Amino acid sequence: MRKTYFVVLLAALASCQSSTQEETAATSSASAGQEKGQPASGQPRQTQHIVQRTHLFSSPQSPDYFRLVLRGDSITQGQVHFTITTQDGRLIHEEHFPAADLEASLVYEMEGATVTQEQRAAYILKRMEEFVEPKDFISPAIAPNAPAQTSFVSETAWKKIQANPKAVGFKYLLGKEDGRLLVYDPEQKKAVRYGSFGG
């Protein structure tokens, strides 16, 4: 009786162990496939570069995660996935743009008439590393005497942001002169574009 119980117990343990190994292996190969550029939804998924920073933005107490992931067959031909996530895991901003949008301002720094592929790639990675820095955050988001800009938000929304001295603005540049300003809107529970600069 004792032997039978022991054999049954060993069989059950072996079954559990092989099941766990299969799940782990399946998860690992799925992840590896995506990292190695296996197409997902018909798009190249090879991860070229990841940058993550934290900064106070949606809350004065808890910093948010600002993350950029560059995926594609190469750095210069890739797509950037830019997200802002709160500490409790809520996605409050998501945006996709071509890596070329980070390269565009290279034209202002070129010393010669042309640049190499390596120089272009290095510049994109540099822009990613510098995309979220303390100097890019503005507090208050809107100065008390600034005239309303209603291209991206209503005048009511503008005035609410302006009336909140703790609202933090985040500015970033895409393309040559497409400067964007984001602020967290507690009513919509997400970051919204409220202005622009450059151009």
Side-chain angles (χ1 to χ4, degrees), residues 55-64 139 164-168 184 186:
H55 202 281
L56 292 174
F57 179 63
S58 67
S59 162
Q61 292 86 27
S62 304
D64 296 320
S139 187
N164 180 4
K166 293 183 179 178
V168 176
Y184 180 71

Side-chain angles (χ1 to χ4, degrees), residues 18-36 38:
S18 73
S19 170
T20 305
Q21 286 173 342
E22 285 170 10
E23 286 174 13
T24 305
T27 305
S28 300
S29 49
S31 301
Q34 286 187 351
E35 291 301 314
K36 289 181 181 174
Q38 296 281 338

Side-chain angles (χ1 to χ4, degrees), residues 70-189:
L70 172 59
R71 291 190 179 99
D73 294 330
S74 71
I75 291 171
T76 56
Q77 297 298 312
Q79 287 281 321
V80 178
H81 183 205
F82 169 43
T83 56
I84 306 173
T85 310
T86 62
Q87 278 209 348
D88 60 3
R90 265 188 318 112
L91 182 68
I92 58 172
H93 182 73
E94 183 173 32
E95 187 174 354
H96 293 84
F97 52 85
D101 279 2
L102 296 177
E103 181 194 351
S105 55
L106 174 61
V107 71
Y108 298 124
E109 298 182 24
M110 287 171 54
E111 293 178 2
T114 59
V115 290
T116 65
Q117 191 79 356
E118 290 76 17
Q119 288 171 317
R120 292 174 58 209
Y123 187 79
I124 289 168
L125 297 183
K126 175 177 174 278
R127 284 287 323 278
M128 285 183 71
E129 291 293 334
E130 297 172 349
F131 197 81
V132 181
E133 294 189 325
K135 65 178 177 57
D136 299 319
F137 292 87
I138 310 152
S139 187
I142 302 173
N145 57 350
Q149 291 183 30
T150 54
S151 302
F152 303 101
V153 292
S154 66
E155 188 171 350
T156 305
W158 176 274
K159 287 180 178 175
K160 278 185 183 175
I161 298 165
Q162 194 171 38
N164 180 4
K166 293 183 179 178
V168 176
F170 170 65
K171 62 177 186 171
Y172 61 102
L173 178 69
L174 294 180
K176 291 180 187 174
E177 298 175 343
D178 182 11
R180 302 181 180 192
L181 293 162
L182 293 182
V183 69
Y184 180 71
D185 182 343
E187 289 184 4
Q188 297 186 57
K189 297 189 184 313

